[in-house]
Amino acid sequence: MLLQIEISPVCNHLVSFTFDLKAAALCLGIMLGRYPCIWCVWDAKSGLDHVEFKSRSSAHHAEMYQKLCEEYNSDSKNHAIDCDGVEDMEALGVWMVDYMQMFNIPELHLLLGVGQKLYNAIVATMSEEELVTHELLLKHNNISRSSYHGGAFEGNAMRKITLMVEQIGFPISNSSSIALKRFSEVVRTCFGQKIQGDYKLAIFQFEEAFKLTGLNCSTKVHIVCRHVIPFITKFLPVGMGLGAVSEQAAESAHSRFIKVWRNYQCSESLENYGENLLNAVKEINFVNFIST
């Protein structure tokens, strides 16, 4: 999973990736069960109370692989497999890296995941009359759901929602509304291209507010509260926010390509599938070129 570019015999550059969390977990062989975080061995059942955890790294992954090999080979029914390649951890050299150094924190997925979780919790407590008013206020403030994502909010819409908790009819005293307002400060201070204010304080206040909601701690909430600060302080230049390594550009490109592909879409079994796909790529590249 680590892409290593050799610049010279004595200089190696580590390339980091921006992944969808599920895709990253799949690539690393991490099951999205009790320990779903790709950056640490976090027990999801303990929620935000789990503060001491072991960071995941390529060394940790190699150790787990070796253990599995040994367990597999201990059964005489199995055909023995070679696991010598991971016995000497030091021999792996540059591969001994923290996964946080390899995988950027996907701020868009955190924004949508945490924001939608709190949004759903707030809406669930509102009366029918309040919901009608809420929908009218969303429309008045040009906040719309995306048909492409099954009626969910996209990034820009969710950013507006986090900033307009009171203006869109949410009950102010609701614990989830308070948590959403606290989350908006996290978004404002460190989800952009540059750090704007005290993001560490914003994250601390969000964590305290989220605990009061009584909601289960999702993986994305855990990442916000436990991994954003160390990622920014260790792996980003001073003053740079998560937006600088965001996956939003790729998400937007994917959405635009889907719209173009609809004009060429056909079954993969057809002979002209490859040609249609190539033409779709040419068109989206041309559109991107003339728009720059």
Side-chain angles (χ1 to χ4, degrees):
M1 272 309 301
L2 177 62
L3 177 60
Q4 180 184 347
I5 301 178
E6 295 187 2
I7 305 299
S8 73
V10 293
C11 178
N12 292 321
H13 282 235
L14 185 67
V15 177
S16 61
F17 302 89
T18 299
F19 265 58
D20 172 274
L21 291 173
K22 291 181 180 177
L26 179 65
C27 291
L28 294 172
I30 295 172
M31 300 296 290
L32 297 177
R34 185 170 177 178
Y35 304 97
C37 182
I38 67 171
W39 290 291
C40 74
V41 188
W42 166 63
D43 187 346
K45 289 186 177 181
S46 64
L48 289 174
D49 294 329
H50 189 176
V51 293
E52 294 184 6
F53 41 77
K54 182 177 181 180
S55 296
R56 290 190 193 269
S57 66
S58 47
H60 174 246
H61 211 80
E63 288 172 0
M64 290 193 298
Y65 175 72
Q66 184 173 2
K67 185 177 180 181
L68 288 172
C69 285
E70 291 170 352
E71 290 177 355
Y72 180 87
N73 290 340
S74 66
D75 189 339
S76 59
K77 296 179 182 179
N78 295 327
H79 177 71
I81 57 176
D82 179 23
C83 58
D84 291 340
V86 294
E87 285 184 350
D88 185 3
M89 294 300 152
E90 292 183 2
L92 293 177
V94 72
W95 294 80
M96 297 297 98
V97 294
D98 191 319
Y99 280 157
M100 186 168 285
Q101 192 175 357
M102 293 168 58
F103 297 102
N104 297 321
I105 288 184
E107 58 90 18
L108 176 60
H109 283 265
L110 297 187
L111 169 66
L112 295 177
V114 177
Q116 192 70 53
K117 183 180 184 70
L118 292 170
Y119 177 89
N120 292 343
I122 297 168
V123 168
T125 66
M126 296 170 68
S127 66
E128 188 172 334
E129 184 178 346
E130 288 174 328
L131 288 174
V132 171
T133 302
H134 169 63
E135 290 297 330
L136 290 173
L137 289 171
L138 286 179
K139 186 175 181 180
H140 176 73
N141 288 286
N142 296 316
I143 301 174
S144 58
R145 294 175 175 83
S146 168
S147 57
Y148 174 71
H149 286 104
F153 295 105
E154 289 187 332
N156 290 334
M158 185 55 70
R159 285 179 190 275
K160 281 188 175 182
I161 288 173
T162 63
L163 294 170
M164 304 178 70
V165 173
E166 297 175 16
Q167 294 94 318
I168 56 177
F170 281 162
I172 302 173
S173 59
N174 185 296
S175 60
S176 295
S177 295
I178 296 171
L180 187 58
K181 289 187 70 174
R182 294 298 189 190
F183 182 58
S184 73
E185 272 300 290
V186 176
V187 174
R188 183 189 69 81
T189 54
C190 65
F191 275 33
Q193 294 288 320
K194 297 180 180 180
I195 298 297
Q196 303 284 344
D198 192 343
Y199 71 95
K200 295 180 181 179
L201 176 62
I203 290 173
F204 172 76
Q205 291 178 336
F206 164 68
E207 179 180 344
E208 293 302 304
F210 185 85
K211 287 178 179 178
L212 296 176
T213 65
L215 298 172
N216 291 331
C217 177
S218 65
T219 304
K220 291 172 183 176
V221 172
H222 160 77
I223 292 170
V224 170
C225 296
R226 296 288 178 263
H227 294 305
V228 168
I229 292 175
F231 177 77
I232 291 175
T233 55
K234 289 182 180 179
F235 303 115
L236 292 184
V238 176
M240 181 182 287
L242 296 178
V245 291
S246 173
E247 75 284 18
Q248 189 161 8
E251 292 279 349
S252 299
H254 181 244
S255 178
R256 291 197 302 272
F257 179 76
I258 289 296
K259 292 177 182 178
V260 172
W261 173 238
R262 291 193 184 111
N263 298 324
Y264 299 90
Q265 192 168 5
C266 64
S267 173
E268 293 183 29
S269 61
L270 295 180
E271 187 176 339
N272 62 335
Y273 175 80
E275 183 180 354
N276 282 14
L277 181 59
L278 177 60
N279 288 333
V281 172
K282 287 180 179 179
E283 181 174 331
I284 194 67
N285 285 343
F286 177 74
V287 171
N288 289 337
F289 175 75
I290 63 174
S291 63
T292 56

